[in-house]
Amino acid sequence: MNIGEVAKASGVSAKMVRHYEESGLIRPATRSESNYRTYSQNDVEVLRFVKRARTLGFPMKQIAMLLALWEDRSRPSSEVKQLARQHIAELNARIAELTEMRDTLEHLARHCRGDFRPECPILEGLAPSRH
């Protein structure tokens, strides 16, 4: 399978396939006699795994660890669970930050009249305080 075919089969763009190879996340493709990349069905499965992990927000470093664990059939599932729990904690922290940002903006927007006057609590809330 060539890079276009593996991209279509995995749902990962050819550009990202090359990026994952260059970054060392996935093994480099084998090369044909004319130096074209060639891929196997296993490569498709690995790329689907990476795509799903990216969809769940895992960073590249953790995806590399998850791939290694996935390929190691003798791994303890506790290591996988630990990575998942760590990612959940990171997601919860990001959710809390985003919630705080949203709540602050909602408060500022509620207090802005949005009329012809120049006073604007939104801009005042963004500006550094002047002493």
Side-chain angles (χ1 to χ4, degrees):
M1 200 175 317
N2 66 30
I3 196 164
E5 293 166 332
V6 79
K8 184 175 181 179
S10 66
V12 175
S13 72
K15 180 180 178 180
M16 288 308 295
V17 172
R18 284 189 291 274
H19 172 71
Y20 293 153
E21 282 184 34
E22 291 164 7
S23 67
L25 182 63
I26 63 171
R27 291 182 191 99
T30 57
R31 297 284 182 152
S32 67
E33 286 183 24
S34 53
N35 207 31
Y36 288 107
R37 288 177 168 94
T38 59
Y39 298 90
S40 67
Q41 185 59 38
N42 184 62
D43 295 320
V44 172
E45 297 305 317
V46 168
L47 288 166
R48 286 179 179 162
F49 182 97
V50 170
K51 181 181 180 186
R52 180 71 176 139
R54 294 289 293 160
T55 300
L56 292 173
F58 280 99
M60 298 287 275
K61 187 175 182 179
Q62 286 182 334
I63 293 173
M65 289 187 262
L66 287 167
L67 269 173
L69 289 166
W70 182 53
E71 292 172 345
D72 177 7
R73 300 293 179 202
S74 64
R75 85 229 159 225
S77 63
S78 61
E79 290 181 39
V80 181
K81 185 173 182 173
Q82 180 183 358
L83 279 172
R85 291 280 185 208
Q86 178 184 349
H87 186 56
I88 291 167
E90 292 164 0
L91 288 172
N92 283 333
R94 286 176 37 205
I95 290 167
E97 289 172 9
L98 289 169
T99 300
E100 186 177 332
M101 284 187 256
R102 182 204 59 209
D103 292 350
T104 299
L105 281 170
E106 280 182 347
H107 173 79
L108 294 171
R110 253 192 328 271
H111 291 88
C112 180
R113 293 182 185 198
D115 57 17
F116 61 90
R117 291 177 264 199
E119 294 82 20
C120 180
I122 299 168
L123 294 176
E124 291 167 11
L126 294 173
S129 59
R130 296 180 188 179
H131 296 294

